[in-house]
Amino acid sequence: MKSHAQAVVIGGGVVGVSVLYHLTKLGWKDVVLIERSELTSGSTWHAAGGCHTLNSDPQVAKLQSYTIDLYKEIEEISGQETGFRLTGGVFLAVTPERMELLKVMQSQERLLGIETELLTPKECEKILPIMDPNQFLGALYTPMHGHLAPADVTHAYAKAAKIQGAEIYLRNRVVDTVQREDGTWDVVTEQGTIHADHVVNAGGLWARECGRMVGLELPILAMEHMYLITEDMPEVAEVNRTTGKEVLHVVDPDGEIYMRQERGGMLMGTYEKGGVPWSPKETPWDFGHELLQEDIDRIAPSLEVGFAHFPPFQRAGIKQIINGPFTFAPDGNPLVGPIRGLKNYWVACGVMAGFSQGGGVGLSLASWMVNGDPGFDIWGMDVARFGDWTTMAYTNAKVRENYSRRFKVTFPNEELPAARPLRTTPIYERQKAMNAVFGVAYGMEQALWYAPEGMEPVENITFLRSNAFPHIKAEAQNVRENVGVCDISSFAKYEITGPNAESWLNRMLACKMPKAGRMTLAPMLNHQGNVIGDFTLAKLDDERFFIFGSGMGEMYHMRWFEENLPEEGGVDIKAYGMGLLGLSIAGPKSRALLEKLTGEDCSKEAFKFLDIKEMSVGMVPALVGRVTFTGDLGYEMWVKPEMQARLFDDILEAGAEFGIMPFGSRAMRSLSLEKSFGSWATEYRPIYGPYAANMGRFVDLTKNDCIGLEAARREKEEGPEKRLVTFTIDVNEIDVMGNEPIYRDGEIVGYVTSGSFAHYIDKSVAMGYVPNDMADDETDGAFAIEIFGDMRPATISSQPLWDPNAERMRG
Ligand SMILES: Cc1cc2nc3c(=O)[nH]c(=O)nc-3n(C[C@H](O)[C@H](O)[C@H](O)COP(=O)(O)OP(=O)(O)OC[C@H]3O[C@@H](n4cnc5c(N)ncnc54)[C@H](O)[C@@H]3O)c2cc1C
């Protein structure tokens, strides 16, 4: 065994070998994989081997598409067959909601350039004779669905990696990973120690145990999963004989069933409702190539539905039932990336669809390690999307929920109940008493909207506009005409102090530094010049600054801040989390309200737009900034948690004479859309530069030594490829939910990043990126946005739809 390697990958499942292969593909040859037993000794060996491109996140879908294309490549390099067959497949619908979703899936496939077909049950029966057409409303045919031999794929990746320079050590468990002072790693194995620059935890079923070696508790949990294999079926032989092809892959989500041909029979798997976690606390090291006890009773209800939907199964003998464990993160997406505070320690785990996603996970992680950037927008898979509040019990509750809903329709306004409430602010009970309907963001309860007195605070889940619509409208209207109060505690807040704070911020953020007592909007760029943060930066004095940003970006941003702290020191950064809470008042009467609460002159001369100061608001000491995400006249107030409730009460009491009403995050988004304000992870993503994202005016190109500025200069000179625009859409009863394709002259030219109904201007609005040369075309209906298969005329508005000259915000 080598004594040193550039990178050591722990785990020889499909994910570990993919990471290893991609490291060699990107030019790192001195790389090693260590496997406790034989390759495939975790979940990989007993997987059903199905793969497809469909994912509700188009960025993840793109990586799934890459994964499927990769099988040919690794076969060619390794000479090892993967058993990959692109059979094509159908997704079936039993309910009208599912039919609607099939249309959404069709447009998502179009975004990848994949043409699919919506079929009636009778049309579908022609290509899938084993179904009972009377059980279904329709189907979506997709060519990009297939299956493969899991062990062969794993060996093909491994051989290809070895041909390209990697080494693999089998039957050798990693027992510890110890970081040296210089940040490099000693990987201690049963056969000795390897000194490595980088370590990748691709431990699959044991990723938690590997994580614990470095004090990391990864939010993953294994669930038992069962599928059955039938004896040979004459109906299968008949399909093979008459078509010369295999039976299509099938996903029958309403029946909670997936299936495919397996030799002369069929393989049928199910995600049953009462899923059972496996080894919830610790995965035994001696677990290997064995299966779990099958439990036919548990999956019987799903099988019964399956047998009714596909009658030939009623006559088929069952040859084998497989029950094996595999891991999930709380939201079902993988955990990929570097770990905050552990230099050169990377994870690639929680991958529940290794054969659809393993290639993309390997590519993005290897790119991140080799080039310093994943090269894709992988926010949906980034391990940093979870904070330190994801305890084992939280993960257990969310994973069980996710497993039981694997195939369920999730509506865009649906808030899932498991593990809630977890993080609440002191005004949570007050908001509840005021009939708030809550959602959750980064584990935190957030008032979405307030139901009027006498109405049960429950939102009907729907693709259409819900029962919340008139109440959100009333909240938005009250902000624009009077004043509203909103809990903004879910924002991230960072305090940066020290003698080098200013020079460091000047390097980290692309904006001009504000003067003391002032704030500015502050894009943060990565080395490639792409936007990795959209903040408000406040300077309190020469050595004290605050940054306010997206709450769910806290771990992501802290990871970047800490990676880039100056070697010479002199900068302290603190993420407050729930240690500093906020309330915002917004609307034309907010100034009068603030004056009443503070007794101070808050005129536009005395308290200008983007001023920030420490004030006593009523009895409560607060940091007050003149800015709000509503784009209206307004203020954000930051206070210690123990005083937030008092401030809330005082604001409501003093605000009564101004017609104050609380408003929730839905009204907030509705109002911010009227101003074309984007948000982190939807509009502002690490694949677009500041000029693409319309943030160019906040970039100070005259600065030196600022991360990403060189690239930003080039982006400005050459012009961005795409640009963020705001559309109004001609629709009734329905608004976009995000990720819809944008068309012009029948061609897809972009996709929607987010949108909603903009209540005050009374229009349906969406934001999205389109080619730069189209971004100024305001011709009425020049674009179309596909909503549930329906092409709706859409018109770009270059100016904010409300208060385009920002008179209210600045006045
Ligand atoms: C019944 C079933 C059906 C499935 N069907 C499908 C499907 O149809 N399509 C699909 O895409 N996915 C499917 N999956 C999921 C798929 O199996 C997983 O996504 C995939 O196997 C995850 O691979 P992995 O490499 O992350 O983890 P694993 O396969 O668990 O591999 C981890 C490896 O790391 C090794 N290891 C761990 N710790 C150490 C250590 N300390 N030292 C050395 N080595 C270590 C282990 O021995 C193991 O070999 C299915 C899973 C099951 C259980």
Side-chain angles (χ1 to χ4, degrees):
M1 196 169 74
K2 279 186 174 183
S3 59
H4 179 271
Q6 204 169 359
V8 169
V9 178
I10 305 171
V14 67
V15 174
V17 290
S18 169
V19 173
L20 188 73
Y21 166 71
H22 283 96
L23 285 171
T24 62
K25 185 175 172 178
L26 297 180
W28 282 17
K29 305 296 178 192
D30 181 18
V31 289
V32 159
L33 182 144
I34 299 176
E35 165 56 48
R36 174 187 75 95
S37 173
E38 304 296 331
L39 294 179
T40 77
S41 291
S43 301
T44 299
W45 73 274
H46 46 52
C51 53
H52 57 77
T53 51
L54 277 154
N55 193 291
S56 56
D57 179 338
Q59 313 302 324
V60 178
K62 206 189 284 178
L63 287 168
Q64 292 190 189
S65 182
Y66 167 81
T67 302
I68 288 179
D69 291 342
L70 193 65
Y71 294 127
K72 204 160 151 256
E73 177 179 313
I74 54 171
E75 272 187 354
E76 275 170 16
I77 297 174
S78 66
Q80 159 82 55
E81 293 215 351
T82 61
F84 176 60
R85 287 197 201 88
L86 199 60
T87 55
V90 287
F91 285 77
L92 293 157
V94 171
T95 62
E97 293 79 20
R98 181 74 58 185
M99 261 329 277
E100 290 302 305
L101 263 196
L102 293 188
K103 294 179 194 160
V104 174
M105 288 161 72
Q106 182 168 47
S107 54
Q108 282 168 350
E109 290 283 87
R110 270 197 203 121
L111 276 175
L112 294 174
I114 300 166
E115 269 316 312
T116 58
E117 212 181 329
L118 276 172
L119 304 170
T120 64
K122 284 283 173 206
E123 286 167 340
C124 190
E125 190 191 12
K126 285 198 190 117
I127 55 170
L128 185 70
I130 59 169
M131 72 184 264
D132 174 359
N134 300 319
Q135 304 283 342
F136 298 100
L137 292 181
L140 180 76
Y141 169 78
T142 163
M144 292 297 277
H145 212 146
H147 64 90
L148 41 76
D152 293 348
V153 165
T154 310
H155 285 285
Y157 273 125
K159 279 186 190 161
K162 283 211 265 191
I163 289 167
Q164 296 179 164
E167 290 185 20
I168 296 180
Y169 305 120
L170 301 177
R171 295 173 292 285
N172 184 22
R173 184 160 68 88
V174 171
V175 292
D176 207 355
T177 39
V178 185
Q179 193 164 32
R180 293 188 184 179
E181 274 204 356
D182 64 359
T184 59
W185 292 89
D186 281 324
V187 181
V188 185
T189 79
E190 287 170 336
Q191 294 170 19
T193 297
I194 304 188
H195 178 221
D197 300 336
H198 297 260
V199 176
V200 180
N201 174 355
L205 282 180
W206 295 266
R208 272 181 319 185
E209 284 64 28
C210 294
R212 285 173 193 155
M213 293 173 192
V214 291
L216 186 67
E217 191 60 47
L218 287 163
I220 43 179
L221 174 71
M223 296 292 290
E224 294 191 11
H225 182 68
M226 277 181 271
Y227 63 79
L228 61 82
I229 297 172
T230 70
E231 303 283 0
D232 288 358
M233 291 164 65
E235 295 84 354
V236 171
E238 179 65 11
V239 172
N240 298 161
R241 191 184 63 74
T242 52
T243 63
K245 293 181 188 158
E246 281 188 32
V247 177
L248 293 175
H249 226 279
V250 180
V251 181
D252 169 13
D254 299 315
E256 293 166 337
I257 294 281
Y258 66 87
M259 60 197 202
R260 67 166 172 86
Q261 184 169 341
E262 170 70 17
R263 299 177 192 273
M266 293 292 292
L267 177 157
M268 181 186 270
T270 175
Y271 283 84
E272 72 279 12
K273 284 205 182 63
V276 172
W278 178 73
S279 283
K281 295 201 167 133
E282 226 167 44
T283 308
W285 286 111
D286 59 2
F287 184 78
H289 271 254
E290 63 244 52
L291 290 171
L292 307 177
Q293 180 61 45
E294 66 204 54
D295 182 356
I296 190 97
D297 290 345
R298 202 162 80 223
I299 57 170
S302 306
L303 294 184
E304 235 169 75
V305 179
F307 291 3
H309 286 183
F310 308 97
F313 275 89
Q314 294 163 15
R315 300 180 286 278
I318 294 178
K319 190 158 75 181
Q320 196 183 6
I321 296 179
I322 304 280
N323 183 9
F326 66 122
T327 54
F328 295 78
D331 59 2
N333 271 335
L335 297 178
V336 179
I339 296 291
R340 173 184 168 199
L342 287 179
K343 189 177 169 204
N344 293 347
Y345 187 93
W346 309 80
V347 295
C349 55
V351 183
M352 70 105 159
F355 298 95
S356 294
Q357 299 178 332
V361 165
L363 173 65
S364 44
L365 187 72
S367 304
W368 213 336
M369 293 170 70
V370 173
N371 305 321
D373 187 80
F376 298 85
D377 175 4
I378 63 147
W379 169 251
M381 307 201 297
D382 193 329
V383 60
R385 71 189 183 280
F386 294 107
D388 54 8
W389 39 269
T390 50
T391 55
M392 202 189 281
Y394 169 89
T395 302
N396 189 299
K398 288 310 278 184
V399 170
R400 276 188 289 117
E401 176 183 67
N402 183 55
Y403 187 92
S404 71
R405 298 181 50 91
R406 171 89 174 93
F407 282 144
K408 255 194 124 193
V409 174
T410 300
F411 292 90
N413 66 338
E414 189 167 2
E415 295 286 337
L416 303 181
R420 292 178 57 196
L422 178 63
R423 306 175 79 208
T424 55
T425 64
I427 62 169
Y428 172 69
E429 291 299 336
R430 283 169 168 76
Q431 290 175 311
K432 234 166 121 179
M434 294 167 92
N435 239 6
V437 176
F438 289 92
V440 72
Y442 203 57
M444 193 188 133
E445 294 296 320
Q446 224 181 8
L448 300 173
W449 57 281
Y450 293 80
E453 226 181 288
M455 176 179 170
E456 209 192 339
V458 177
E459 182 163 353
N460 58 344
I461 49 171
T462 168
F463 293 125
L464 303 174
R465 292 174 189 156
S466 75
N467 57 337
F469 190 83
H471 312 299
I472 298 171
K473 187 177 216 50
E475 289 170 24
Q477 216 153 1
N478 195 58
V479 169
R480 290 279 185 249
E481 290 168 8
N482 295 309
V483 56
V485 56
C486 181
D487 189 350
I488 50 166
S489 304
S490 64
F491 286 10
K493 324 98 198 166
Y494 313 89
E495 187 179 20
I496 301 97
T497 50
N500 293 335
E502 178 142 15
S503 58
W504 180 72
L505 286 167
N506 207 17
R507 176 176 150 70
M508 297 296 289
L509 305 175
C511 60
K512 197 171 170 201
M513 287 296 110
K515 295 201 170 73
R518 295 285 294 160
M519 294 184 286
T520 184
L521 294 187
M524 182 160 73
L525 310 180
N526 61 12
H527 293 283
Q528 289 71 21
N530 287 329
V531 176
I532 54 167
D534 63 309
F535 302 121
T536 309
L537 169 68
K539 177 171 178 174
L540 297 193
D541 62 45
D542 285 347
E543 294 193 8
R544 189 166 170 234
F545 295 79
F546 269 91
I547 292 177
F548 304 100
S550 154
M552 66 178 173
E554 187 179 283
M555 186 65 94
Y556 177 94
H557 288 131
M558 279 304 281
R559 184 175 66 191
W560 179 257
F561 291 146
E562 287 172 353
E563 267 170 34
N564 287 286
L565 281 173
E567 271 176 27
E568 66 275 19
V571 180
D572 283 315
I573 177 154
K574 172 178 176 179
Y576 271 97
M578 302 282 273
L580 186 69
L581 301 181
L583 291 170
S584 170
I585 54 171
K589 298 183 184 166
S590 58
R591 173 177 287 134
L593 173 57
L594 190 69
E595 283 187 333
K596 184 172 168 189
L597 283 162
T598 59
E600 292 193 34
D601 176 7
C602 297
S603 63
K604 69 176 178 184
E605 295 75 28
F607 200 166
K608 292 192 275 300
F609 178 57
L610 295 178
D611 275 356
I612 186 161
K613 46 177 113 177
E614 281 163 307
M615 306 172 95
S616 294
V617 186
M619 263 184 232
V620 178
L623 183 63
V624 185
R626 207 193 123 183
V627 69
T628 90
F629 197 48
T630 61
D632 214 307
L633 171 68
Y635 307 84
E636 289 178 350
M637 307 169 192
W638 301 101
V639 297
K640 287 188 174 159
E642 61 270 28
M643 286 181 271
Q644 192 209 22
R646 174 73 210 211
L647 181 62
F648 188 59
D649 292 345
D650 287 353
I651 287 174
L652 286 171
E653 197 188 317
E657 67 166 299
F658 305 108
I660 197 159
M661 268 171 67
F663 66 104
S665 59
R666 293 271 178 75
M668 178 74 98
R669 184 61 189 132
S670 169
L671 294 164
S672 64
L673 274 171
E674 295 177 346
K675 296 289 294 175
S676 293
F677 292 164
S679 298
W680 168 245
T682 49
E683 284 71 38
Y684 305 133
R685 297 167 176 234
I687 47 173
Y688 299 113
Y691 294 93
N694 267 334
M695 296 177 129
R697 63 190 182 284
F698 308 120
V699 175
D700 177 12
L701 287 178
T702 64
K703 299 204 296 190
N704 296 316
D705 191 28
C706 168
I707 296 176
L709 217 58
E710 235 357 272
R713 272 189 201 106
R714 277 197 305 279
E715 192 202 11
K716 186 172 185 204
E717 263 165 45
E718 292 162 15
E721 244 176 73
K722 298 218 166 185
R723 188 139 49 91
L724 182 63
V725 292
T726 304
F727 290 98
T728 54
I729 321 171
D730 185 2
V731 271
N732 285 319
E733 304 290 312
I734 192 164
D735 302 297
V736 295
M737 47 184 191
N739 298 326
E740 291 84 354
I742 302 168
Y743 293 78
R744 193 166 131 143
D745 303 327
E747 298 277 320
I748 294 183
V749 294
Y751 66 94
V752 168
T753 47
S754 74
S756 171
F757 193 78
H759 284 279
Y760 197 67
I761 58 155
D762 211 32
K763 286 192 167 85
S764 190
V765 173
M767 296 181 80
Y769 284 85
V770 298
N772 191 28
D773 59 0
M774 297 181 189
D776 295 313
D777 182 355
E778 298 191 67
T779 313
D780 206 15
F783 295 82
I785 293 178
E786 184 180 352
I787 305 180
F788 291 95
D790 202 9
M791 296 292 177
R792 303 307 312 168
T795 307
I796 288 181
S797 176
S798 298
Q799 292 295 315
L801 294 154
W802 178 81
D803 191 21
N805 298 324
E807 283 160 21
R808 257 285 263 276
M809 189 164 76
R810 293 166 181 281

